[in-house]
Amino acid sequence: MIYLGFAAWWRSCTVEGIISLPNSIPHTPPILHRRMLTANDLLFSYRWGVDTFAKLVSDVADKDMARQPVEGINHPAWLLGHVGTYHEVIASLLRGEAFDNPWDSPCGKNSTPSADRSRYPSKEQLLKHHEAAAALACRTIESVKPEAWTRPMDHPTWGKQFATVAPAVVFLATSHQSLHLGQLSGWRRAMGLPRI
């Protein structure tokens, strides 16, 4: 029942009051009320995730940023590099700018996290890039015109997943970032670090 309630809410959302998000959840009950998803709603969750990433590495020593207490686990250096790349993609999508497929970047989906610390920038550099790229994405979300959200997704890879810019941005700013926050939290547990 909770799933169906969420599905109905999600289907009823619009971005800035003009964009219906895709009806990709089957068998949901009729929509009784419409709730407008504003840029501020999205930014609240997005900024929370960005801030939480910084908190979860606040007590991690630079030398430990690529440690893998479990073989193959995504470590903080890779996670910050990975999510930081997608902050930039959010800004590019909303501005209508072309971008290279981030899957092939050094911390992209097709990369394998390495325990070799020398393969990654310093913790300070990783955090600076993460925060600067997120700030750019936030400014872009706040400032773009409504038609930026409805622009068709004409990227050769991403166009197969998302019809327009809106669901791609919402996914990257919420689900994608949260998935990797969970991985970072799991890494902390494996390292014996306390909750934050």
Side-chain angles (χ1 to χ4, degrees):
M1 186 57 88
I2 292 172
Y3 169 80
L4 292 177
F6 174 78
W9 172 82
W10 183 255
R11 285 186 50 208
S12 70
C13 287
T14 60
V15 175
E16 292 300 332
I18 61 157
I19 302 163
S20 293
L21 297 175
N23 180 9
S24 60
I25 304 173
H27 311 297
T28 55
I31 299 167
L32 302 176
H33 303 285
R34 293 195 68 78
R35 159 95 168 64
M36 305 313 242
L37 178 64
T38 67
N40 283 337
D41 293 329
L42 178 60
L43 286 168
F44 173 83
S45 291
Y46 185 43
R47 286 181 174 132
W48 180 89
V50 171
D51 293 344
T52 302
F53 253 101
K55 288 176 187 172
L56 289 175
V57 298
S58 63
D59 60 346
V60 176
D62 186 281
K63 67 180 179 59
D64 293 332
M65 291 288 286
R67 291 236 353 241
Q68 291 180 306
V70 177
E71 187 177 340
I73 194 170
N74 291 346
H75 53 64
W78 186 90
L79 289 164
L80 281 169
H82 179 76
V83 173
T85 299
Y86 286 92
H87 295 323
E88 295 171 339
V89 170
I90 288 172
S92 295
L93 286 170
L94 287 169
R95 293 180 185 168
E97 298 171 351
F99 61 93
D100 293 329
N101 189 344
W103 292 2
D104 298 322
S105 69
C107 293
K109 180 180 178 180
N110 294 334
S111 70
T112 301
S114 169
D116 179 355
R117 183 65 188 92
S118 68
R119 291 184 55 187
Y120 302 93
S122 70
K123 175 182 173 181
E124 180 182 3
Q125 290 172 312
L126 286 164
L127 280 169
K128 277 186 180 176
H129 175 257
H130 171 74
E131 291 166 4
L136 172 64
C138 287
R139 287 192 306 273
T140 306
I141 289 169
E142 290 171 324
S143 65
V144 294
K145 296 185 185 294
E147 52 270 17
W149 297 91
T150 58
R151 187 179 307 111
M153 181 67 75
D154 60 1
H155 190 275
T157 303
W158 290 52
K160 296 174 185 173
Q161 297 173 307
F162 305 106
T164 63
V165 167
V169 169
V170 170
F171 168 76
L172 291 174
T174 58
S175 301
H176 180 255
Q177 183 170 230
S178 295
L179 167 83
H180 292 301
L181 278 170
Q183 292 175 346
L184 183 52
S185 182
W187 178 89
R188 288 183 61 84
R189 295 286 177 93
M191 287 288 289
L193 295 171
R195 288 184 180 185
I196 290 196

PDB file of all heavy atoms in Angstrom, residues 15-19 39 93-96 139-151 165-166:
ATOM      1  N   VAL A  15       7.255  19.250 -12.494  1.00  0.00           N
ATOM      2  CA  VAL A  15       8.384  20.114 -12.194  1.00  0.00           C
ATOM      3  C   VAL A  15       8.000  21.523 -12.578  1.00  0.00           C
ATOM      4  O   VAL A  15       7.597  21.792 -13.702  1.00  0.00           O
ATOM      5  CB  VAL A  15       9.648  19.660 -12.966  1.00  0.00           C
ATOM      6  CG1 VAL A  15      10.772  20.636 -12.734  1.00  0.00           C
ATOM      7  CG2 VAL A  15      10.044  18.259 -12.534  1.00  0.00           C
ATOM      8  N   GLU A  16       8.119  22.437 -11.619  1.00  0.00           N
ATOM      9  CA  GLU A  16       7.755  23.836 -11.803  1.00  0.00           C
ATOM     10  C   GLU A  16       6.330  23.978 -12.317  1.00  0.00           C
ATOM     11  O   GLU A  16       5.988  24.938 -12.993  1.00  0.00           O
ATOM     12  CB  GLU A  16       8.737  24.540 -12.755  1.00  0.00           C
ATOM     13  CG  GLU A  16      10.119  24.693 -12.178  1.00  0.00           C
ATOM     14  CD  GLU A  16      10.163  25.510 -10.903  1.00  0.00           C
ATOM     15  OE1 GLU A  16       9.304  26.387 -10.708  1.00  0.00           O
ATOM     16  OE2 GLU A  16      11.054  25.269 -10.098  1.00  0.00           O
ATOM     17  N   GLY A  17       5.500  23.000 -12.036  1.00  0.00           N
ATOM     18  CA  GLY A  17       4.094  23.099 -12.377  1.00  0.00           C
ATOM     19  C   GLY A  17       3.765  22.860 -13.831  1.00  0.00           C
ATOM     20  O   GLY A  17       2.623  23.020 -14.235  1.00  0.00           O
ATOM     21  N   ILE A  18       4.746  22.467 -14.652  1.00  0.00           N
ATOM     22  CA  ILE A  18       4.426  22.308 -16.073  1.00  0.00           C
ATOM     23  C   ILE A  18       4.828  20.958 -16.647  1.00  0.00           C
ATOM     24  O   ILE A  18       4.413  20.606 -17.726  1.00  0.00           O
ATOM     25  CB  ILE A  18       5.097  23.397 -16.928  1.00  0.00           C
ATOM     26  CG1 ILE A  18       6.615  23.302 -16.796  1.00  0.00           C
ATOM     27  CG2 ILE A  18       4.588  24.766 -16.601  1.00  0.00           C
ATOM     28  CD1 ILE A  18       7.332  23.915 -17.950  1.00  0.00           C
ATOM     29  N   ILE A  19       5.628  20.198 -15.945  1.00  0.00           N
ATOM     30  CA  ILE A  19       6.171  18.981 -16.538  1.00  0.00           C
ATOM     31  C   ILE A  19       5.624  17.765 -15.833  1.00  0.00           C
ATOM     32  O   ILE A  19       5.882  17.565 -14.660  1.00  0.00           O
ATOM     33  CB  ILE A  19       7.700  18.972 -16.450  1.00  0.00           C
ATOM     34  CG1 ILE A  19       8.259  20.191 -17.163  1.00  0.00           C
ATOM     35  CG2 ILE A  19       8.268  17.705 -17.051  1.00  0.00           C
ATOM     36  CD1 ILE A  19       9.658  20.462 -16.799  1.00  0.00           C
ATOM     37  N   ALA A  39      11.465  23.676  -7.943  1.00  0.00           N
ATOM     38  CA  ALA A  39      12.934  23.609  -7.897  1.00  0.00           C
ATOM     39  C   ALA A  39      13.400  23.548  -6.450  1.00  0.00           C
ATOM     40  O   ALA A  39      14.347  22.827  -6.131  1.00  0.00           O
ATOM     41  CB  ALA A  39      13.530  24.808  -8.615  1.00  0.00           C
ATOM     42  N   LEU A  93      22.859  19.233 -18.751  1.00  0.00           N
ATOM     43  CA  LEU A  93      21.532  18.840 -19.237  1.00  0.00           C
ATOM     44  C   LEU A  93      20.572  20.022 -19.235  1.00  0.00           C
ATOM     45  O   LEU A  93      19.867  20.275 -20.224  1.00  0.00           O
ATOM     46  CB  LEU A  93      20.959  17.724 -18.354  1.00  0.00           C
ATOM     47  CG  LEU A  93      21.546  16.335 -18.522  1.00  0.00           C
ATOM     48  CD1 LEU A  93      21.058  15.412 -17.410  1.00  0.00           C
ATOM     49  CD2 LEU A  93      21.182  15.763 -19.886  1.00  0.00           C
ATOM     50  N   LEU A  94      20.533  20.745 -18.132  1.00  0.00           N
ATOM     51  CA  LEU A  94      19.579  21.859 -18.020  1.00  0.00           C
ATOM     52  C   LEU A  94      19.937  23.029 -18.923  1.00  0.00           C
ATOM     53  O   LEU A  94      19.059  23.777 -19.348  1.00  0.00           O
ATOM     54  CB  LEU A  94      19.479  22.314 -16.566  1.00  0.00           C
ATOM     55  CG  LEU A  94      18.723  21.348 -15.652  1.00  0.00           C
ATOM     56  CD1 LEU A  94      18.902  21.737 -14.190  1.00  0.00           C
ATOM     57  CD2 LEU A  94      17.246  21.301 -16.028  1.00  0.00           C
ATOM     58  N   ARG A  95      21.205  23.197 -19.234  1.00  0.00           N
ATOM     59  CA  ARG A  95      21.626  24.278 -20.135  1.00  0.00           C
ATOM     60  C   ARG A  95      21.530  23.877 -21.600  1.00  0.00           C
ATOM     61  O   ARG A  95      21.767  24.688 -22.485  1.00  0.00           O
ATOM     62  CB  ARG A  95      23.060  24.668 -19.833  1.00  0.00           C
ATOM     63  CG  ARG A  95      23.262  25.317 -18.503  1.00  0.00           C
ATOM     64  CD  ARG A  95      24.724  25.617 -18.377  1.00  0.00           C
ATOM     65  NE  ARG A  95      25.056  26.146 -17.089  1.00  0.00           N
ATOM     66  CZ  ARG A  95      26.285  26.267 -16.655  1.00  0.00           C
ATOM     67  NH1 ARG A  95      27.291  25.875 -17.419  1.00  0.00           N
ATOM     68  NH2 ARG A  95      26.534  26.756 -15.476  1.00  0.00           N
ATOM     69  N   GLY A  96      21.280  22.613 -21.853  1.00  0.00           N
ATOM     70  CA  GLY A  96      21.209  22.144 -23.228  1.00  0.00           C
ATOM     71  C   GLY A  96      22.577  21.994 -23.864  1.00  0.00           C
ATOM     72  O   GLY A  96      22.709  22.034 -25.087  1.00  0.00           O
ATOM     73  N   ARG A 139      22.779  26.269  -8.828  1.00  0.00           N
ATOM     74  CA  ARG A 139      22.505  27.570  -9.464  1.00  0.00           C
ATOM     75  C   ARG A 139      21.750  27.376 -10.770  1.00  0.00           C
ATOM     76  O   ARG A 139      20.846  28.146 -11.109  1.00  0.00           O
ATOM     77  CB  ARG A 139      23.813  28.326  -9.723  1.00  0.00           C
ATOM     78  CG  ARG A 139      24.460  28.889  -8.492  1.00  0.00           C
ATOM     79  CD  ARG A 139      25.579  29.878  -8.815  1.00  0.00           C
ATOM     80  NE  ARG A 139      26.596  29.348  -9.715  1.00  0.00           N
ATOM     81  CZ  ARG A 139      27.671  28.661  -9.324  1.00  0.00           C
ATOM     82  NH1 ARG A 139      27.850  28.393  -8.031  1.00  0.00           N
ATOM     83  NH2 ARG A 139      28.558  28.246 -10.201  1.00  0.00           N
ATOM     84  N   THR A 140      22.113  26.347 -11.502  1.00  0.00           N
ATOM     85  CA  THR A 140      21.450  26.075 -12.778  1.00  0.00           C
ATOM     86  C   THR A 140      20.004  25.654 -12.551  1.00  0.00           C
ATOM     87  O   THR A 140      19.092  26.146 -13.237  1.00  0.00           O
ATOM     88  CB  THR A 140      22.223  24.995 -13.563  1.00  0.00           C
ATOM     89  OG1 THR A 140      23.594  25.399 -13.681  1.00  0.00           O
ATOM     90  CG2 THR A 140      21.637  24.793 -14.952  1.00  0.00           C
ATOM     91  N   ILE A 141      19.765  24.768 -11.600  1.00  0.00           N
ATOM     92  CA  ILE A 141      18.393  24.346 -11.285  1.00  0.00           C
ATOM     93  C   ILE A 141      17.540  25.551 -10.908  1.00  0.00           C
ATOM     94  O   ILE A 141      16.386  25.670 -11.324  1.00  0.00           O
ATOM     95  CB  ILE A 141      18.398  23.294 -10.142  1.00  0.00           C
ATOM     96  CG1 ILE A 141      18.970  21.970 -10.645  1.00  0.00           C
ATOM     97  CG2 ILE A 141      16.995  23.096  -9.563  1.00  0.00           C
ATOM     98  CD1 ILE A 141      19.274  20.954  -9.548  1.00  0.00           C
ATOM     99  N   GLU A 142      18.116  26.476 -10.132  1.00  0.00           N
ATOM    100  CA  GLU A 142      17.376  27.655  -9.675  1.00  0.00           C
ATOM    101  C   GLU A 142      17.076  28.646 -10.793  1.00  0.00           C
ATOM    102  O   GLU A 142      16.072  29.357 -10.739  1.00  0.00           O
ATOM    103  CB  GLU A 142      18.177  28.382  -8.591  1.00  0.00           C
ATOM    104  CG  GLU A 142      18.255  27.636  -7.285  1.00  0.00           C
ATOM    105  CD  GLU A 142      19.220  28.275  -6.305  1.00  0.00           C
ATOM    106  OE1 GLU A 142      20.279  28.797  -6.727  1.00  0.00           O
ATOM    107  OE2 GLU A 142      18.917  28.235  -5.114  1.00  0.00           O
ATOM    108  N   SER A 143      17.907  28.671 -11.812  1.00  0.00           N
ATOM    109  CA  SER A 143      17.819  29.769 -12.777  1.00  0.00           C
ATOM    110  C   SER A 143      17.264  29.428 -14.159  1.00  0.00           C
ATOM    111  O   SER A 143      16.926  30.337 -14.914  1.00  0.00           O
ATOM    112  CB  SER A 143      19.205  30.396 -12.951  1.00  0.00           C
ATOM    113  OG  SER A 143      20.105  29.467 -13.529  1.00  0.00           O
ATOM    114  N   VAL A 144      17.179  28.146 -14.506  1.00  0.00           N
ATOM    115  CA  VAL A 144      16.760  27.828 -15.872  1.00  0.00           C
ATOM    116  C   VAL A 144      15.280  28.107 -16.083  1.00  0.00           C
ATOM    117  O   VAL A 144      14.477  28.074 -15.155  1.00  0.00           O
ATOM    118  CB  VAL A 144      17.062  26.354 -16.263  1.00  0.00           C
ATOM    119  CG1 VAL A 144      18.541  26.115 -16.326  1.00  0.00           C
ATOM    120  CG2 VAL A 144      16.347  25.377 -15.364  1.00  0.00           C
ATOM    121  N   LYS A 145      14.945  28.352 -17.337  1.00  0.00           N
ATOM    122  CA  LYS A 145      13.545  28.572 -17.719  1.00  0.00           C
ATOM    123  C   LYS A 145      12.812  27.231 -17.740  1.00  0.00           C
ATOM    124  O   LYS A 145      13.430  26.178 -17.925  1.00  0.00           O
ATOM    125  CB  LYS A 145      13.493  29.234 -19.095  1.00  0.00           C
ATOM    126  CG  LYS A 145      14.107  30.627 -19.125  1.00  0.00           C
ATOM    127  CD  LYS A 145      13.906  31.253 -20.478  1.00  0.00           C
ATOM    128  CE  LYS A 145      14.597  32.591 -20.590  1.00  0.00           C
ATOM    129  NZ  LYS A 145      14.101  33.623 -19.769  1.00  0.00           N
ATOM    130  N   PRO A 146      11.500  27.262 -17.585  1.00  0.00           N
ATOM    131  CA  PRO A 146      10.725  26.010 -17.547  1.00  0.00           C
ATOM    132  C   PRO A 146      10.939  25.106 -18.757  1.00  0.00           C
ATOM    133  O   PRO A 146      10.941  23.884 -18.618  1.00  0.00           O
ATOM    134  CB  PRO A 146       9.277  26.500 -17.468  1.00  0.00           C
ATOM    135  CG  PRO A 146       9.370  27.830 -16.806  1.00  0.00           C
ATOM    136  CD  PRO A 146      10.664  28.427 -17.303  1.00  0.00           C
ATOM    137  N   GLU A 147      11.158  25.685 -19.919  1.00  0.00           N
ATOM    138  CA  GLU A 147      11.326  24.847 -21.116  1.00  0.00           C
ATOM    139  C   GLU A 147      12.600  24.006 -21.084  1.00  0.00           C
ATOM    140  O   GLU A 147      12.730  23.023 -21.813  1.00  0.00           O
ATOM    141  CB  GLU A 147      11.260  25.679 -22.400  1.00  0.00           C
ATOM    142  CG  GLU A 147      12.174  26.871 -22.453  1.00  0.00           C
ATOM    143  CD  GLU A 147      11.545  28.162 -21.914  1.00  0.00           C
ATOM    144  OE1 GLU A 147      10.530  28.102 -21.204  1.00  0.00           O
ATOM    145  OE2 GLU A 147      12.099  29.230 -22.207  1.00  0.00           O
ATOM    146  N   ALA A 148      13.554  24.364 -20.219  1.00  0.00           N
ATOM    147  CA  ALA A 148      14.770  23.556 -20.096  1.00  0.00           C
ATOM    148  C   ALA A 148      14.438  22.156 -19.598  1.00  0.00           C
ATOM    149  O   ALA A 148      15.092  21.185 -19.983  1.00  0.00           O
ATOM    150  CB  ALA A 148      15.757  24.221 -19.142  1.00  0.00           C
ATOM    151  N   TRP A 149      13.414  22.040 -18.770  1.00  0.00           N
ATOM    152  CA  TRP A 149      13.035  20.753 -18.196  1.00  0.00           C
ATOM    153  C   TRP A 149      12.351  19.844 -19.210  1.00  0.00           C
ATOM    154  O   TRP A 149      12.422  18.623 -19.102  1.00  0.00           O
ATOM    155  CB  TRP A 149      12.110  20.963 -16.995  1.00  0.00           C
ATOM    156  CG  TRP A 149      12.762  21.705 -15.879  1.00  0.00           C
ATOM    157  CD1 TRP A 149      12.763  23.065 -15.677  1.00  0.00           C
ATOM    158  CD2 TRP A 149      13.519  21.151 -14.811  1.00  0.00           C
ATOM    159  NE1 TRP A 149      13.475  23.378 -14.547  1.00  0.00           N
ATOM    160  CE2 TRP A 149      13.941  22.225 -13.990  1.00  0.00           C
ATOM    161  CE3 TRP A 149      13.869  19.849 -14.453  1.00  0.00           C
ATOM    162  CZ2 TRP A 149      14.712  22.025 -12.843  1.00  0.00           C
ATOM    163  CZ3 TRP A 149      14.630  19.651 -13.306  1.00  0.00           C
ATOM    164  CH2 TRP A 149      15.039  20.732 -12.526  1.00  0.00           C
ATOM    165  N   THR A 150      11.681  20.443 -20.182  1.00  0.00           N
ATOM    166  CA  THR A 150      10.909  19.644 -21.153  1.00  0.00           C
ATOM    167  C   THR A 150      11.692  19.333 -22.421  1.00  0.00           C
ATOM    168  O   THR A 150      11.170  18.669 -23.316  1.00  0.00           O
ATOM    169  CB  THR A 150       9.610  20.374 -21.539  1.00  0.00           C
ATOM    170  OG1 THR A 150       9.934  21.657 -22.082  1.00  0.00           O
ATOM    171  CG2 THR A 150       8.696  20.530 -20.342  1.00  0.00           C
ATOM    172  N   ARG A 151      12.929  19.812 -22.498  1.00  0.00           N
ATOM    173  CA  ARG A 151      13.746  19.566 -23.683  1.00  0.00           C
ATOM    174  C   ARG A 151      13.923  18.058 -23.879  1.00  0.00           C
ATOM    175  O   ARG A 151      14.244  17.330 -22.943  1.00  0.00           O
ATOM    176  CB  ARG A 151      15.113  20.231 -23.520  1.00  0.00           C
ATOM    177  CG  ARG A 151      15.975  20.182 -24.762  1.00  0.00           C
ATOM    178  CD  ARG A 151      17.324  20.875 -24.586  1.00  0.00           C
ATOM    179  NE  ARG A 151      17.194  22.228 -24.104  1.00  0.00           N
ATOM    180  CZ  ARG A 151      17.568  22.611 -22.883  1.00  0.00           C
ATOM    181  NH1 ARG A 151      18.084  21.768 -22.031  1.00  0.00           N
ATOM    182  NH2 ARG A 151      17.424  23.866 -22.518  1.00  0.00           N
ATOM    183  N   VAL A 165      14.707  16.017 -20.284  1.00  0.00           N
ATOM    184  CA  VAL A 165      15.715  16.381 -19.292  1.00  0.00           C
ATOM    185  C   VAL A 165      15.196  16.196 -17.865  1.00  0.00           C
ATOM    186  O   VAL A 165      15.934  15.766 -16.979  1.00  0.00           O
ATOM    187  CB  VAL A 165      16.166  17.842 -19.538  1.00  0.00           C
ATOM    188  CG1 VAL A 165      16.957  18.389 -18.370  1.00  0.00           C
ATOM    189  CG2 VAL A 165      16.961  17.940 -20.844  1.00  0.00           C
ATOM    190  N   ALA A 166      13.933  16.506 -17.611  1.00  0.00           N
ATOM    191  CA  ALA A 166      13.402  16.496 -16.241  1.00  0.00           C
ATOM    192  C   ALA A 166      13.643  15.189 -15.491  1.00  0.00           C
ATOM    193  O   ALA A 166      14.210  15.209 -14.387  1.00  0.00           O
ATOM    194  CB  ALA A 166      11.920  16.855 -16.238  1.00  0.00           C
TER     195      ALA A 166
END
